[in-house]
Amino acid sequence: MRPAGRNLPSSSSPVPAAAGDAVPAEPVTRRHVHTRAIRLQAFARSDGLWDIEAELTDTKGGDFQLATGVRKAGDPVHDMWLTVTIDTHLNIVAADAGSPWVPYPGHCDQIGPDYRKLVGLNLTQDFRRHLRERLGGAQGCTHLTELASVLPTAAIQAFAGEVIKTQDASQPATDEAAQRKPFQLDRCHALRSDSPAVAQFYPRWYRAPRGAAPSPTDSQIDNRHSEVEPR
């Protein structure tokens, strides 16, 4: 589903009719019901460590009846935060959590100290498995544990260009960083070693798919064009 507010039909826009459907579709309206917002920020500390701060909020578009009373529209049903301190090897050295807004005050908000169990874990070494083992299900808070699961990719994004030196074809081959395979390669479909993107932006590390001809570089393509005589 596309995020709300991004090229979605207005409340009075008709739903497109199916191909071959002679009867125009009735206009469809929408009613805002719920918003979940997740925000993460990273901070480089003067002592060489990093803080990753994560926050999750749930709000309703209208008044919401809870077992503990009515939560007014716009007031958070959940407002939770989780902060971890990591070193440059992505080891968690400190962790803290809090829940200022919860459905069951005095109960949900007691679990925060348990998230210190994250200390000692590494964000890139089976982190989500260890997270589930220590804080999954009834051992933790559903939402704080879900929030913790996005820490690894947020930390990697924070480290890019700071701790993890990214490089591309614009760097000279003699550059020390260019001698090492870029961290981001083979970690997603777009940057597989045999992908067109790697052939274009990281040609040094491109590996043609088995049985396929190597992808020519731009200079090779230009040379081929110059060798073709006009008819």
Side-chain angles (χ1 to χ4, degrees):
M1 181 178 293
R2 291 175 294 180
R6 293 190 179 179
N7 300 321
L8 289 175
S10 65
S11 59
S12 60
S13 299
V15 174
D21 190 350
V23 180
E26 292 295 325
V28 172
T29 61
R30 303 188 307 163
R31 176 175 56 88
H32 174 247
V33 174
H34 183 85
T35 296
R36 166 162 287 191
I38 294 177
R39 184 185 187 193
L40 288 93
Q41 297 186 92
F43 300 89
R45 298 173 23 152
S46 59
D47 60 0
L49 299 175
W50 287 69
D51 287 335
I52 309 295
E53 297 183 351
E55 183 180 10
L56 177 151
T57 59
D58 283 321
T59 55
K60 295 292 184 181
D63 292 353
F64 184 57
Q65 180 67 56
L66 294 166
T68 53
V70 175
R71 196 63 54 90
K72 293 294 185 179
D75 285 345
V77 177
H78 298 108
D79 183 9
M80 302 171 168
W81 58 266
L82 171 66
T83 298
V84 297
T85 301
I86 59 177
D87 63 21
T88 54
H89 298 288
L90 296 164
N91 298 306
I92 298 176
V93 299
D96 198 11
S99 303
W101 289 79
V102 290
Y104 305 97
H107 303 281
C108 298
D109 45 9
Q110 301 304 300
I111 196 67
D114 286 49
Y115 282 79
R116 295 170 188 158
K117 295 176 182 177
L118 296 176
V119 173
L121 299 183
N122 182 284
L123 291 178
T124 58
Q125 296 177 11
D126 291 325
F127 173 73
R128 294 184 179 92
R129 177 172 65 83
H130 293 306
L131 171 65
R132 290 192 299 270
E133 290 173 354
R134 298 185 183 196
L135 293 159
Q139 299 179 89
C141 164
T142 299
H143 310 293
L144 283 173
T145 299
E146 179 181 3
L147 189 58
S149 70
V150 302
L151 291 172
T153 52
I156 293 298
Q157 289 296 312
F159 278 14
E162 296 276 347
V163 178
I164 301 170
K165 300 303 182 183
T166 58
Q167 67 263 20
D168 56 30
S170 65
Q171 289 182 277
T174 55
D175 188 291
E176 181 182 350
Q179 305 304 314
R180 298 189 299 270
K181 182 178 178 179
F183 176 87
Q184 62 269 35
L185 299 192
D186 290 315
R187 294 178 183 270
C188 72
H189 76 99
L191 294 178
R192 293 193 327 263
S193 292
D194 60 356
S195 70
V198 171
Q200 179 178 356
F201 299 108
Y202 306 92
R204 173 186 175 87
W205 303 100
Y206 176 73
R207 300 293 180 267
R210 185 172 298 178
S215 176
T217 63
D218 290 342
S219 61
Q220 289 174 323
I221 293 174
D222 291 341
N223 288 339
R224 289 178 186 177
H225 287 173
S226 64
E227 292 169 359
V228 177
E229 297 181 356
R231 296 175 181 267

